[in-house]
C-alpha cells in the first residue's frame, strides 16, 4: 500500500524558515517524480514544486522561486521542502504527492496519484 | 503558461441528479487533463486521468470526456458522498474548483 506522510509544519514568523519532510513507502520511490501542493485556508489547490525521480530536475511556481528548495533522499525514501524567507501568504496546508504519470519534470502526463494527509504551515507574527 | 478555467464555481444539486462540470484550457492540451475530488478537511483524490481514464476504485457514475481545450466531468446520478469540491488539472496548473452542494 502506498503511503506518504508529511511532517514539519508549524507556526513561524514572517521571514523565518521551515523544513517539511515527506516519508514514502509502498512503492519504488526513486522511479516517481514527487510534488508539493499547497492549499491556503478556504482557497484552491496550488502546485508548489516538483522534483524528478532521480533528483536532477526541479520545478517551482513563480511565487516561491529563490525561497523554497525541493530535494529528495532516495536512500531514505524521503522528500523535503526547505522554505526560507516565509511570507504570510505562504500560510497553507502543504501536501506531498506522488506523480503516478511521470518520473521527470518534463512530462505531459503528470498527475498527483497519491497524497499525504497534509501539514499546516502558518506564517504569522 | 496554460490557464485552466472551471465552470461553474459552485452548483446546487439533489441526490440522483446528473451533474456536469466543465474545464477549459487556454490552449490545446490534447487529453492531458485530470480530475480530482476533495472533501472538507481531506486531501484531494485523483478520480480521472488523461481526460477519461477512471482511477481504480472510483465509481462508474463518474466519467470524463473531452480533448483539445474543452473537457467535462459528469456524475451520472449524484450520491450523498459526492458532495465535494472538484478540480481539473493540467501539468502544474489546477482549475479554480467547483463546489457541489446540496439543494
Amino acid at each position: 500500500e502506498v503511503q506518504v506522510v508529511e511532517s514539519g509544519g508549524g507556526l513561524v514568523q514572517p521571514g523565518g524558515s521551515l523544513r517539511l519532510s515527506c516519508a514514502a513507502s509502498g512503492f519504488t520511490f526513486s522511479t516517481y517524480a514527487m510534488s508539493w501542493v499547497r492549499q491556503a485556508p478556504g482557497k484552491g489547490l496550488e502546485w508548489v514544486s516538483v522534483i524528478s525521480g532521480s533528483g536532477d530536475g526541479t520545478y517551482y511556481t513563480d511565487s516561491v522561486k529563490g525561497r523554497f528548495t525541493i530535494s529528495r533522499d532516495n536512500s531514505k525514501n524521503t522528500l523535503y521542502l526547505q522554505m526560507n524567507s516565509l511570507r504570510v501568504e505562504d500560510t497553507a496546508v502543504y501536501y506531498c504527492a506522488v506523480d503516478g504519470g511521470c518520473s521527470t519534470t518534463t512530462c505531459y502526463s503528470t498527475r498527483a496519484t497519491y497524497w499525504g494527509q497534509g501539514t499546516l504551515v502558518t506564517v504569522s507574527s | 503558461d496554460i490557464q485552466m478555467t472551471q465552470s461553474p464555481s459552485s452548483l446546487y444539486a439533489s441526490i440522483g441528479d446528473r451533474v456536469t462540470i466543465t474545464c477549459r484550457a487556454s490552449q490545446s492540451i490534447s487529453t492531458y487533463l485530470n480530475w480530482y475530488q476533495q472533501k472538507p478537511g481531506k486531501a484531494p483524490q485523483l478520480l480521472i486521468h488523461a481526460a477519461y481514464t477512471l482511477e481504480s476504485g472510483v465509481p462508474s457514475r463518474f466519467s470524463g470526456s473531452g480533448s483539445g481545450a474543452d473537457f467535462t466531468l459528469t456524475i451520472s446520478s449524484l450520491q450523498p458522498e459526492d458532495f465535494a469540491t472538484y478540480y481539473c488539472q493540467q501539468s502544474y496548473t489546477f482549475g479554480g474548483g467547483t463546489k457541489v452542494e446540496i439543494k
Side-chain angles (χ1 to χ4, degrees), chain A residues 83-105:
Chain A
M83 303 186 294
N84 299 331
S85 302
L86 281 161
R87 305 168 180 168
V88 171
E89 55 265 34
D90 294 319
T91 294
V93 174
Y94 285 72
Y95 295 102
C96 167
V98 183
D99 192 329
C102 298
S103 61
T104 69
T105 57

Side-chain angles (χ1 to χ4, degrees), chain B residues 30-49:
Chain B
S30 184
T31 57
Y32 297 113
L33 189 283
N34 308 313
W35 290 99
Y36 300 81
Q37 176 193 67
Q38 186 180 31
K39 297 179 180 179
K42 299 294 185 181
Q45 175 191 357
L46 179 63
L47 294 178
I48 290 170
H49 74 266

Side-chain angles (χ1 to χ4, degrees), chain A residues 65-84:
Chain A
K65 282 180 183 174
R67 301 189 299 123
F68 290 12
T69 302
I70 192 171
S71 62
R72 64 192 296 161
D73 185 336
N74 286 347
S75 69
K76 296 182 178 179
N77 287 0
T78 304
L79 174 72
Y80 303 99
L81 186 68
Q82 178 67 44
M83 303 186 294
N84 299 331

Side-chain angles (χ1 to χ4, degrees), chain A residues 37 39 43-47 50 59 95 104-105 108-113 115-116, chain B residues 1 32 34 36 38 42-46 49 55 87 89-94 96:
Chain A
V37 176
Q39 187 169 37
K43 302 297 184 182
L45 301 170
E46 180 184 25
W47 214 300
V50 185
Y59 160 88
Y95 295 102
T104 69
T105 57
Y108 290 112
S109 55
T110 194
R111 56 187 181 264
T113 305
W115 298 68
Chain B
D1 289 357
Y32 297 113
N34 308 313
Y36 300 81
Q38 186 180 31
K42 299 294 185 181
Q45 175 191 357
L46 179 63
H49 74 266
E55 289 294 302
Y87 294 92
Q89 170 253 326
Q90 187 279 331
S91 186
Y92 304 137
T93 302
F94 288 98

Side-chain angles (χ1 to χ4, degrees), chain B residues 14 32 39 46 52 56-57 62 71 98:
Chain B
S14 300
Y32 297 113
K39 297 179 180 179
L46 179 63
Y52 51 81
S56 175
F62 290 92
F71 300 86
T98 297

Side-chain angles (χ1 to χ4, degrees), chain B residues 10-63:
Chain B
S10 66
L11 65 90
Y12 290 86
S14 300
I15 302 300
D17 282 355
R18 182 181 182 89
V19 170
T20 299
I21 298 168
T22 63
C23 181
R24 174 165 288 178
S26 58
Q27 65 188 68
S28 177
I29 56 171
S30 184
T31 57
Y32 297 113
L33 189 283
N34 308 313
W35 290 99
Y36 300 81
Q37 176 193 67
Q38 186 180 31
K39 297 179 180 179
K42 299 294 185 181
Q45 175 191 357
L46 179 63
L47 294 178
I48 290 170
H49 74 266
Y52 51 81
T53 302
L54 222 59
E55 289 294 302
S56 175
V58 174
S60 58
R61 63 181 178 273
F62 290 92
S63 64

